[in-house]
Amino acid sequence: MDTRSHHYGTFANVSGHNASPTHASGVTDVDRPSAMATRSDTPPKSGDADVALAEAIRQEHDLTFWQAVKLYPKAVGWSAFVSIGVIMLAFDPQIIGNMFAMPQFQKDFGFELDGEYVISAAWQTGLSLGNPIGQVVGALFSAYPLELFGRKWTFFTCVLLTACLVFIQFFARSLQVLLVGELLGGLVLGCFVVIGPTYASEVCPMALRGVLTSYTNLCFVTGQLLGNGITAGTAPMEDHWAYSIPFALQWFWVLVIIPGVFFIPESPWWLVRKGRNEDAKNALRQLSSSKVDIGATLAAIAETDRLELEMEAGSTYLDTIKGVNLRRTEISTGVYTTQVLSGIYLINYGTYFFEQAGLPTQSAFYMGIGFLAVGWVCTVVSWFLIARFGRRRIFNIGLTVLIVLMFIIGILDSIPGRPSGVAWAESSLMLIWNGAYDLSVGPITFVILGECSATRVRSKTIAVATAVQAVCGIAMTVAIPYMINPTEANMQGKLGYFFGGLGVICLVWAYFRIPETKGRTYEELDLLFDRKIPARQFKGYQVDLTAIPTEF
C-alpha cells in the first residue's frame, strides 16, 4: 500500500497510477511533498489552498479500491447503515404487490368473481399508489430538513415516524384504512431514497464512490427479496396473520437502526457549508483511520464549496434548474426515470404477473423469490463492472439488452394459440431481464445521481429526480394493474412491446446526454459541466485544475 495519506474530499475514482504520471488534473507527482510528513487537523491557509487542493486530487486519483477500504472502513460501515432505510422503502410496496396474489388477503379485502376472490384493479391501483405518491412529496420535502438539521437527525426522525405509521397498516381491516396507512407511510419512506445516496456520496472516499452509491440498488433489491420471501412463507396461512406478519416485520428495521443512529457521524460536507469546521474535523476523524490527513481533506471540501459558489451554484430548489445545473438535473432525472420506463415497476407485481401469465400460485411466489435473488447477486457482480468500465457504457449497453429482452417476451406472447410452455418461457426471460437490469441500469443510476449533481444542491437534485421518477411510477402504478388484470386488458407478456418501445426512446436520450463521469473528482466535474463539454467528449477531455483560481 502507498504509505502516503489520502483524502476523499472530492470522491473521484481511482486512476491506478503511482509513479510520476501526469493526471487528468494536469498535476504531476514530481517534487511533491509527502502529506504523511505530519498529520494536520488544520486546513491550509488561503495562500496554500490551491496547492492543497491539487495535492488532494492527485492523491485521490492514486487511491485504489482496497486502499480506500482500509483507510475508511468506518465510512463504508456507516454508509451501509444509513442505506437500511432504502430496504424499508423497497419492502413496503413489494409486500403490497404480493398480497394481491395472497388467498387470505383476497378473501378478507376482495370480492368473489367466478368462484374466486379478487382485488379490483381500482383498489390495486389505489393501494399501490401510496408509496410512489409518498415518494413525490416525501422526497421533495426531505431536502429541507436535510439542509436545516443535517443527514443524521433527519434520518432518525424518519425512522421514528415509520415506526408509528406501521401501526396503521398492521391494524387495518379495510381497504380504506390500509390506503391511509400506505399514503402516510409513503410520505416518510420517500425520504430514505434521498438520504441514503446523499449520505453515501458525502462520507465515502472517491475510490469507493461507485460501489457505495450503487449499494442503494442492492438495498432496493434486498427489500424486495425479503418482501417476496416473507409473503411466500405467510401466503398459505388462513387467517389475518398471512398479511399482518409482513406488516409487523417492518418494525424489525426500526429496532436495528435506533440503537446505532446516535453514533452516526454527520456529513462533513454539510458541516462545512454550515461553517462548523471543528465539527467537520471530528466527523472526518470518525469516518477515517489515523493515516488520513484530516486538514487537507477539510481544505479540499472547503475549496470545492468555494468553487461552486464562484460558479454561482446556490442551494435552493430553483438553483437545480438554473444555469449549468439544469443540465445536471436533467441527467439525474433522466437516468432515474429510465428505470421506470424500462419496466422495473413490474417487479412490484412480479408474483401477480407470473400468476396471470399462467403459473400456479405457489410457483408464482417461488418464481418471485428467484427473480429477486438473481437481481441481488447481479447487483453485487455489478460492482466489479463499475470499477472496471465507465458509467455511460454500462448504462447504454445494459439498457439495450433490456429492450431486446422485452421485445422477445412480447413476441413469445403473440404466438397463436399461446402454447403451454410460453408462461414458463416468459417468466424465465423476465428473470434474465431482472439480472441484466441489476447489472447495469439499476445500480449505475445511483452512481450517476451522486456524480452529476453539484455538491451544494445534491440532496435537492436527488429529491427532484426522485420526485419525477415517482410521478412516472404513479403513471405505471395506475396503468400496470389494468394492463395485467384478467378483468381488464389482460395483456400478460405483451407488456414487453410497451416497455420495449419506451426503452428505445430512453436509449436515444441516454446516448446523447449521459456523460462519462468515471475517474473524475467533483472539482473536475464542476469544470466539465461549466464549460458545457458534450456528453460524448467527457471521457477524453483534459482538465488543468491548476488553472481554477484564474478562471473565476
Side-chain angles (χ1 to χ4, degrees):
M1 179 189 293
D2 193 340
T3 58
R4 296 167 295 184
S5 68
H6 302 278
H7 318 281
Y8 66 99
T10 51
F11 309 153
N13 276 16
V14 178
S15 65
H17 302 301
N18 289 308
S20 306
T22 299
H23 301 296
S25 64
V27 181
T28 65
D29 284 353
V30 180
D31 298 327
R32 291 289 191 188
S34 171
M36 277 294 286
T38 58
R39 183 176 185 272
S40 172
D41 284 351
T42 304
K45 298 183 184 299
S46 58
D48 300 325
D50 298 328
V51 175
L53 176 63
E55 173 67 7
I57 292 172
R58 180 190 66 80
Q59 293 196 12
E60 288 192 78
H61 276 292
D62 287 346
L63 187 61
T64 68
F65 177 85
W66 290 113
Q67 285 175 335
V69 171
K70 292 178 181 178
L71 287 171
Y72 305 96
K74 290 178 284 188
V76 174
W78 285 121
S79 174
F81 184 80
V82 171
S83 293
I84 291 176
V86 180
I87 298 178
M88 299 169 66
L89 166 65
F91 182 84
D92 180 74
Q94 194 66 27
I95 60 176
I96 285 293
N98 286 346
M99 285 175 187
F100 299 148
M102 186 179 288
Q104 190 61 39
F105 186 85
Q106 293 171 335
K107 182 179 179 181
D108 290 353
F109 293 92
F111 63 93
E112 192 171 358
L113 176 67
D114 298 329
E116 295 183 353
Y117 288 95
V118 296
I119 306 295
S120 68
W123 272 111
Q124 285 187 32
T125 299
L127 289 171
S128 301
L129 278 174
N131 196 271
I133 287 178
Q135 281 191 44
V136 173
V137 180
L140 292 173
F141 172 77
S142 67
Y144 292 107
L146 279 171
E147 190 61 29
L148 288 172
F149 308 113
R151 285 59 168 134
K152 174 179 179 176
W153 296 115
T154 302
F155 178 61
F156 177 60
T157 303
C158 289
V159 172
L160 286 182
L161 288 173
T162 298
C164 296
L165 294 173
V166 169
F167 280 100
I168 300 176
Q169 299 171 328
F170 180 77
F171 288 106
R173 293 298 179 266
S174 69
L175 291 173
Q176 291 83 353
V177 175
L178 185 57
L179 177 60
V180 171
E182 286 299 308
L183 284 169
L184 294 178
L187 291 173
V188 180
L189 292 173
C191 299
F192 290 123
V193 76
V194 178
I195 298 170
T198 300
Y199 188 80
S201 65
E202 293 182 341
V203 303
C204 296
M206 66 175 188
L208 299 176
R209 188 173 68 192
V211 170
L212 290 176
T213 51
S214 65
Y215 177 77
T216 302
N217 190 71
L218 185 68
C219 292
F220 267 110
V221 178
T222 300
Q224 293 168 338
L225 179 59
L226 289 171
N228 271 15
I230 289 167
T231 51
T234 62
M237 293 183 176
E238 297 181 353
D239 54 24
H240 75 91
W241 290 109
Y243 49 86
S244 294
I245 287 176
F247 286 133
L249 286 176
Q250 293 178 96
W251 284 313
F252 169 78
W253 299 111
V254 175
L255 295 175
V256 170
I257 293 172
I258 287 181
V261 76
F262 298 101
F263 304 99
I264 298 174
E266 184 54 86
S267 163
W269 286 83
W270 180 80
L271 291 168
V272 166
R273 285 200 296 274
K274 295 298 181 182
R276 296 166 54 181
N277 284 358
E278 284 300 320
D279 291 335
K281 287 183 203 174
N282 292 332
L284 288 168
R285 292 190 192 101
Q286 290 178 277
L287 291 164
S288 60
S289 71
S290 59
K291 296 181 180 179
V292 175
D293 190 327
I294 300 299
T297 303
L298 192 60
I301 295 175
E303 184 66 9
T304 303
D305 191 60
R306 181 196 67 80
L307 173 61
E308 292 191 357
L309 280 173
E310 290 183 343
M311 289 179 172
E312 299 182 351
S315 57
T316 68
Y317 270 118
L318 184 60
D319 290 309
T320 64
I321 56 172
K322 286 174 60 177
V324 69
N325 279 343
L326 176 60
R327 180 187 178 190
R328 304 177 81 159
T329 301
E330 176 218 328
I331 294 167
S332 300
T333 302
V335 294
Y336 211 173
T337 303
T338 297
Q339 288 190 334
V340 178
L341 300 181
S342 64
I344 192 57
Y345 261 63
L346 277 176
I347 301 295
N348 290 345
Y349 296 91
T351 301
Y352 189 70
F353 173 82
F354 295 138
E355 188 177 55
Q356 295 306 314
L359 298 185
T361 298
Q362 203 58 36
S363 295
F365 272 101
Y366 291 147
M367 179 62 80
I369 295 172
F371 193 67
L372 290 165
V374 168
W376 197 94
V377 172
C378 288
T379 298
V380 174
V381 173
S382 75
W383 295 343
F384 297 94
L385 298 179
I386 289 170
R388 184 177 178 84
F389 302 105
R391 284 71 162 121
R392 173 184 167 88
R393 180 189 298 182
I394 293 172
F395 190 94
N396 289 341
I397 292 177
L399 182 56
T400 301
V401 173
L402 300 183
I403 292 168
V404 171
L405 288 171
M406 276 296 183
F407 279 126
I408 292 175
I409 290 171
I411 292 170
L412 282 175
D413 203 70
S414 301
I415 296 175
R418 203 168 186 273
S420 59
V422 167
W424 281 106
E426 290 176 358
S427 299
S428 299
L429 283 171
M430 278 299 295
L431 189 144
I432 296 171
W433 183 95
N434 190 54
Y437 173 90
D438 286 312
L439 277 172
S440 57
V441 174
I444 208 69
T445 288
F446 297 101
V447 181
I448 296 172
L449 275 175
E451 292 178 338
C452 284
S453 54
T455 60
R456 291 187 63 81
V457 289
R458 176 167 295 123
S459 63
K460 290 184 173 64
T461 301
I462 294 175
V464 169
T466 300
V468 174
Q469 181 258 14
V471 169
C472 292
I474 289 170
M476 291 300 171
T477 301
V478 172
I480 290 175
Y482 285 94
M483 288 191 286
I484 64 177
N485 196 290
T487 63
E488 303 293 341
N490 196 27
M491 290 178 66
Q492 299 178 334
K494 294 182 182 66
L495 277 171
Y497 292 127
F498 177 73
F499 287 111
L502 291 176
V504 170
I505 297 172
C506 293
L507 181 61
V508 173
W509 171 84
Y511 179 78
F512 290 103
R513 300 301 289 169
I514 296 179
E516 183 50 71
T517 55
K518 183 178 185 294
R520 297 291 192 183
T521 66
Y522 285 144
E523 288 85 357
E524 289 172 320
L525 289 172
D526 284 343
L527 288 173
L528 287 167
F529 279 111
D530 188 66
R531 293 172 182 174
K532 299 180 173 60
I533 305 302
R536 287 174 289 171
Q537 296 179 21
F538 259 57
K539 183 176 181 179
Y541 193 89
Q542 297 296 307
V543 179
D544 183 6
L545 282 168
T546 61
I548 291 176
T550 62
E551 289 188 7
F552 299 100

